[in-house]
Amino acid sequence: MISVVILGAGNVATHLYKAFKITGDVKVTQWYNRNIEAINAYKNEVSITDDLSQLVEADVYIISVSDDAVKGLTKKLSFENRLVVHTSGTVKISDIDKKNRQGVFYPLQSFSKSAKIDFANVPFCIEAIKSEDYHLLKDIAIALGSPSKKVNSDQRKVLHLAAVFVNNFTNQLYRVAHEITESEGAEFEMLKPLILETAKKVQDLSPYVAQTGPAKRNDKKTLNKHAKLLTNRHHKDIYDLLTKSIQHTHGRKKL
Amino acid sequence: MISVVILGAGNVATHLYKAFKITGDVKVTQWYNRNIEAINAYKNEVSITDDLSQLVEADVYIISVSDDAVKGLTKKLSFENRLVVHTSGTVKISDIDKKNRQGVFYPLQSFSKSAKIDFANVPFCIEAIKSEDYHLLKDIAIALGSPSKKVNSDQRKVLHLAAVFVNNFTNQLYRVAHEITESEGAEFEMLKPLILETAKKVQDLSPYVAQTGPAKRNDKKTLNKHAKLLTNRHHKDIYDLLTKSIQHTHGRKKL
């Protein structure tokens, strides 16, 4: 049984807590948050505290607070030589105060408060200085039913950046499609199967091979038809830049 | 039983043919293609022809050829007052020669030669001049197990445009993520669950509500970290434009 103390009460911390609760191999022995109100609802099932000096001994301390707060919080820990990890995509492993054993346990997924998370779909990027710490973190991922991978800080940073492209930016393209359809009384609803299919396709094919459409074919007639339809200048900027990008990737045009 | 003649042998035509073959309510009585070699493999199961003057009578003629070829092909048909539809997102219904009853049966999905299509995930945009033709096309969609919707030519045009955003452009963002991760020896593979989750999320939530991330939060520290990582000017252009777009949508910035 691996004992865990969770520090923080955001989306990731809360989803981790709930997932650990139903695994047999990991036990959350304590939950810390600066503002105890946020975790008060759990006081009957786990020891809660807002006092860092009261933290109990555990195999690993998982710090899941805002990026800016990680460094300061680890400085304030009063113990030494224990495994302390954060869950951030962008914070350096060395930002964890070096009096403890440093590690990273970054879930590469989008967490929202309400939506249920299936941890089978949450790959963990694991980093640790000591080999036994890496294996302990890997065992925690296994207990969650999650895939995991050894990822160093540079790789983690680019994965976090790439995640913005496939998550936030992709979602913004959905938003633009929503604006375009609604402006003509068409239904965004009609696009939902295509959205899902587009994401499914690159589970097996590379995005390069999966590409289709007028930009890739250099189908000028369709590109011109679209240009005429794009009355919103901002939508047009996105259309032009991504069309150029596709044509560059597929050898139609130099940037 | 609805009798259908298919004209054309591209991806859409071929997938339609295969799907009709296993429905009980639609029968493909003939398959035409200008180049008969392309459909020769089917000659033992369906009547094939490359001669327009040999077309048999049917309830509907589905023209699934390149956009540019639709108009000319319908002109050459030697019969009158029958239902002739095309499957294009951008061709006007009036491009079908008016000696026949005009209609559109546009599947809003990405078709590739090899990948299997589940027609339950292919919404059809249906347009027809006569009400009984609309209902016949709707019955064909039902026979395929597909959702369908009455969509006029203006709405269809914007749906086709919006489809480019959610399909081709989204796929290009996946491609950029692929380039970014590979350049640092990180694995694109790690992003696949997030790609799928992002698409699933907007099946239930609007893209507006689903949005998260540094651009929406106006998290300048993370935006600056990303800016430093983006060494490829072209990736940076996309990052900047879509960040600005998110900030505009969420009231952070004027465009």
Side-chain angles (χ1 to χ4, degrees):
Chain A
M1 179 72 79
I2 300 169
S3 60
V4 169
V5 170
I6 296 176
L7 297 95
N11 288 338
V12 173
T14 305
H15 281 292
L16 277 176
Y17 171 75
K18 289 179 180 169
F20 286 143
K21 209 169 75 173
I22 53 171
T23 71
D25 301 321
V26 175
K27 187 172 168 55
V28 178
T29 49
Q30 198 177 29
W31 194 350
Y32 161 88
N33 199 48
R34 195 174 51 174
N35 164 24
I36 197 128
E37 291 302 319
I39 51 175
N40 213 31
Y42 302 92
K43 69 177 175 190
N44 294 328
E45 50 187 67
V46 62
S47 159
I48 64 169
T49 182
D50 59 359
D51 181 354
L52 287 174
S53 73
Q54 297 297 311
L55 291 184
V56 298
E57 189 161 355
D59 293 321
V60 56
Y61 297 79
I62 299 179
I63 299 194
S64 193
V65 298
S66 65
D67 289 357
D68 288 348
V70 172
K71 195 170 185 170
L73 179 56
T74 67
K75 265 193 204 301
K76 285 191 212 148
L77 297 175
S78 55
F79 48 80
E80 287 183 3
N81 202 32
R82 298 183 192 166
L83 177 57
V84 175
V85 305
H86 71 66
T87 60
S88 163
T90 61
V91 174
K92 284 179 285 186
I93 190 172
S94 57
D95 274 7
I96 293 169
D97 193 279
K98 67 177 188 300
K99 71 187 167 212
N100 281 297
R101 283 152 31 222
Q102 302 148 315
V104 179
F105 192 65
Y106 167 53
L108 189 36
Q109 188 48 278
S110 169
F111 289 79
S112 49
K113 204 97 200 172
S114 54
K116 258 194 170 175
I117 294 281
D118 178 355
F119 272 84
N121 302 323
V122 181
F124 280 90
C125 302
I126 298 181
E127 190 173 4
I129 309 294
K130 289 180 180 265
S131 166
E132 59 264 39
D133 291 340
Y134 168 75
H135 286 290
L136 185 122
L137 294 171
K138 195 173 175 64
D139 285 343
I140 294 178
I142 290 169
L144 291 168
S146 302
S148 68
K149 187 90 196 167
K150 197 183 276 190
V151 170
N152 68 33
S153 285
D154 286 342
Q155 291 167 336
R156 179 162 44 84
K157 271 192 268 178
V158 298
L159 280 167
H160 184 269
L161 170 61
V164 166
F165 280 80
V166 303
N167 179 16
N168 307 151
F169 292 169
T170 288
N171 188 74
Q172 184 64 9
L173 293 182
Y174 302 160
R175 164 69 190 185
V176 171
H178 195 270
E179 290 173 1
I180 289 173
T181 48
E182 293 219 327
S183 71
E184 282 292 338
E187 289 183 20
F188 177 71
E189 189 71 25
M190 294 286 284
L191 295 166
K192 289 182 176 177
L194 180 58
I195 285 173
L196 211 48
E197 184 62 28
T198 305
K200 278 185 187 163
K201 212 168 165 186
V202 293
Q203 304 296 311
D204 302 314
L205 297 177
S206 78
Y208 183 87
V209 172
Q211 192 59 279
T212 60
K216 186 191 167 193
R217 287 195 311 272
N218 202 23
D219 170 356
K220 285 185 183 141
K221 210 162 174 178
T222 302
L223 293 172
N224 286 335
K225 279 185 187 179
H226 286 166
K228 276 182 204 156
L229 277 176
L230 286 159
T231 48
N232 178 316
R233 185 180 58 79
H234 172 58
H235 295 168
K236 192 165 165 25
D237 287 345
I238 295 176
Y239 188 94
D240 290 344
L241 185 60
L242 287 168
T243 292
K244 211 168 67 171
S245 178
I246 292 170
Q247 296 189 324
H248 174 63
T249 296
H250 294 275
R252 295 288 185 180
K253 233 164 224 175
K254 289 227 171 83
L255 284 176
Chain B
M1 179 71 81
I2 300 168
S3 61
V4 169
V5 170
I6 296 175
L7 297 96
N11 289 337
V12 172
T14 305
H15 282 292
L16 277 176
Y17 171 75
K18 288 179 181 169
F20 285 143
K21 209 169 76 175
I22 54 173
T23 70
D25 302 321
V26 175
K27 186 168 169 58
V28 178
T29 49
Q30 198 177 29
W31 194 351
Y32 161 89
N33 199 48
R34 196 173 50 175
N35 164 24
I36 197 127
E37 291 302 319
I39 51 175
N40 212 31
Y42 302 92
K43 68 177 174 190
N44 294 328
E45 50 187 66
V46 63
S47 158
I48 63 171
T49 183
D50 59 0
D51 181 353
L52 287 175
S53 73
Q54 296 297 312
L55 291 184
V56 299
E57 189 162 355
D59 294 321
V60 56
Y61 297 78
I62 299 180
I63 300 194
S64 193
V65 298
S66 65
D67 289 357
D68 287 348
V70 172
K71 194 171 184 171
L73 179 54
T74 68
K75 265 193 206 299
K76 286 190 214 150
L77 298 176
S78 55
F79 47 80
E80 287 183 6
N81 202 31
R82 297 182 193 167
L83 177 57
V84 175
V85 305
H86 71 66
T87 60
S88 163
T90 61
V91 174
K92 284 179 285 186
I93 189 171
S94 58
D95 274 7
I96 293 170
D97 193 278
K98 67 178 188 302
K99 72 186 166 213
N100 281 296
R101 282 150 33 218
Q102 302 148 316
V104 179
F105 192 65
Y106 167 53
L108 189 35
Q109 189 48 280
S110 169
F111 289 78
S112 50
K113 204 97 198 172
S114 55
K116 257 194 172 176
I117 293 281
D118 178 355
F119 272 84
N121 302 323
V122 181
F124 280 90
C125 302
I126 298 180
E127 190 174 5
I129 309 294
K130 288 180 182 265
S131 166
E132 59 266 37
D133 292 339
Y134 167 75
H135 286 289
L136 185 122
L137 294 171
K138 194 172 176 64
D139 286 343
I140 294 177
I142 290 169
L144 291 168
S146 302
S148 68
K149 186 90 194 162
K150 198 183 275 190
V151 169
N152 68 35
S153 285
D154 285 343
Q155 292 167 336
R156 179 162 44 85
K157 271 192 268 177
V158 299
L159 280 167
H160 184 268
L161 170 62
V164 167
F165 281 80
V166 304
N167 179 16
N168 307 152
F169 292 170
T170 289
N171 188 73
Q172 184 64 9
L173 293 182
Y174 302 160
R175 165 67 192 186
V176 170
H178 195 268
E179 290 172 2
I180 289 174
T181 46
E182 292 219 327
S183 71
E184 282 292 337
E187 289 184 19
F188 177 71
E189 188 72 24
M190 295 286 283
L191 295 166
K192 289 183 176 178
L194 180 59
I195 285 172
L196 211 47
E197 184 61 27
T198 305
K200 279 185 188 163
K201 214 169 165 186
V202 294
Q203 304 296 311
D204 300 316
L205 298 177
S206 77
Y208 183 87
V209 172
Q211 192 58 281
T212 60
K216 187 194 166 190
R217 287 196 310 273
N218 201 23
D219 170 355
K220 287 187 181 138
K221 211 162 174 177
T222 302
L223 294 172
N224 286 335
K225 279 185 186 179
H226 286 166
K228 276 181 202 155
L229 277 176
L230 285 159
T231 49
N232 179 317
R233 184 180 60 79
H234 172 60
H235 295 167
K236 192 163 165 24
D237 287 344
I238 295 175
Y239 188 94
D240 290 346
L241 185 60
L242 286 168
T243 293
K244 211 168 67 171
S245 178
I246 292 171
Q247 296 188 326
H248 174 63
T249 296
H250 294 275
R252 297 286 186 183
K253 233 166 225 175
K254 290 226 171 82
L255 284 176

